[in-house]
Structure formats: C-alpha cells, structure tokens
Amino acid sequence: NAEKYAAEFENEQLFFTKRLDALDLFYETGLLKEEDYNAKKKELNQEIFDYSVSIANESVKTIGMIQDARMAKELAQVGDDEAAKEAIEKKYAKKRQNLAVVQAIIDGASGIVKTGATLGYPLAIPFQVLQGIQTIAQIAAIKAQKFATGGRVKGSNIPTQANGDSVLATLKPREIVLTESDQNVLGG
C-alpha cells in the first residue's frame, strides 16, 4: 500500500508541476493576464494543498489499520494470557494516541491554510492564531488521556455537563459502565 501511495503521489506531483509550468508559460508569453494568472495559480495551489492533505489523512488511516492488524495478530498469539493481552492493548492504545496527535496536527494545519486562503491577509492572521491555539489545546487533551486500569473513576477530565457527567471515557465493545445508582444496587 505504501508503494502505491508513493507512486500515486509522485505522479500527482509531476502533474501539478506540469500544470504550474504551463500556467507560468502562458503568463510569460502574454497569453494570460496577471489577474487571471494569479487567480489560476491560487486555485491550483489550493488543489495541490487539498491533495496533500488527503494523502496525509489516508496515510494516517492506513497506519491505523496496519496497527490494528498487528495488534490483533499479537493478541491471537498470546492466547488466554490476560496480562500479556493488557500489555499489548496498552502498547497499541499509545500508538493510537500518537496517531490522533498526528491527525490533529494535519487538521489544524489544514484549517490554518484554508483560513488564509479564504480571508486573505492580514484579516486571516488573528483567526489563524486562534486555530493554532485550538490545535495545541486539542493535542494537549489527546496527550493527557490516561489509559484505564479498572476500578472507580477518580477526578474529572471535562467540564461538568448539564446531566452531571464530568468524565469522558472511551470503551471497547462489550465493556460495561455502571451508573452510581446501579453500583449502589450491586453493593458497590
């Protein structure tokens, strides 16, 4: 898959380079007015950027799928050894967390560039700064996520919601979360 993406990316780069060269040639020979040249070049640069972002997103997705397959293979190899399974799951949870950081960076950069292209300068600058801060906060939130070890939940990791919830949790299929009243009924 990696070779396929690399070859496709090289072909697209060559295609975009030839289009930019042709655009430059039309402008330099006077077949294209400066205003039209600038508009077409901006449009083409946006296409190049969008394509690059899509490749980056597909790469993160592919890496995630590869990691999931490797985790499944490792889990199958350890059989019923719960301690080994837990260690493998923690290892891959950390890898998923790192991929989430990479995806946040891609999304943040994409938003910042699109804001600049949409609003122009200098109007875009304060909005880009805010997007940068938001991206940093998102990365910090991702990095702050701790991995479950079981037992009672202590502390909060999100602002208290209208229904009283104050902990954001991620679960695996077939895991169960009990409400406080359910725990009391069970003697917890």
Side-chain angles (χ1 to χ4, degrees), residues 71 74 86-96:
M71 182 178 79
E74 287 181 36
E86 186 176 331
I88 291 167
E89 288 171 349
K90 281 185 179 182
K91 176 175 87 172
Y92 282 96
K94 187 69 177 164
K95 289 178 183 262
R96 280 194 289 280

Side-chain angles (χ1 to χ4, degrees), residues 152 177-188:
R152 290 190 181 270
V177 175
L178 299 175
T179 64
E180 189 172 0
S181 62
D182 290 338
Q183 291 174 48
N184 291 335
V185 168
L186 296 171

Side-chain angles (χ1 to χ4, degrees), residues 8-19:
E8 182 180 320
F9 189 68
E10 281 184 38
N11 287 339
E12 287 296 323
Q13 278 185 313
L14 183 60
F15 178 67
F16 285 129
T17 301
K18 287 183 179 187
R19 288 174 62 192

Side-chain angles (χ1 to χ4, degrees), residues 5 8-9 12 50-60 106:
Y5 283 128
E8 182 180 320
F9 189 68
E12 287 296 323
D50 290 344
Y51 179 74
S52 298
V53 169
S54 73
I55 289 293
N57 285 328
E58 282 300 314
S59 297
V60 169
I106 292 167

Side-chain angles (χ1 to χ4, degrees), residues 28 38 44 46 68 71 84 127 133 162 176:
E28 290 165 5
N38 289 333
L44 186 55
Q46 185 62 48
D68 288 346
M71 182 178 79
F127 296 101
I133 292 168
I176 297 171

Side-chain angles (χ1 to χ4, degrees), residues 4 15 24 26 55 75 82 84 89 108 110 125 159 168 171 184:
K4 174 187 155 193
F15 178 67
D24 289 342
F26 283 135
I55 289 293
L75 288 171
E82 291 301 320
E89 288 171 349
S110 177
I125 294 171
L168 181 65
L171 304 170
N184 291 335

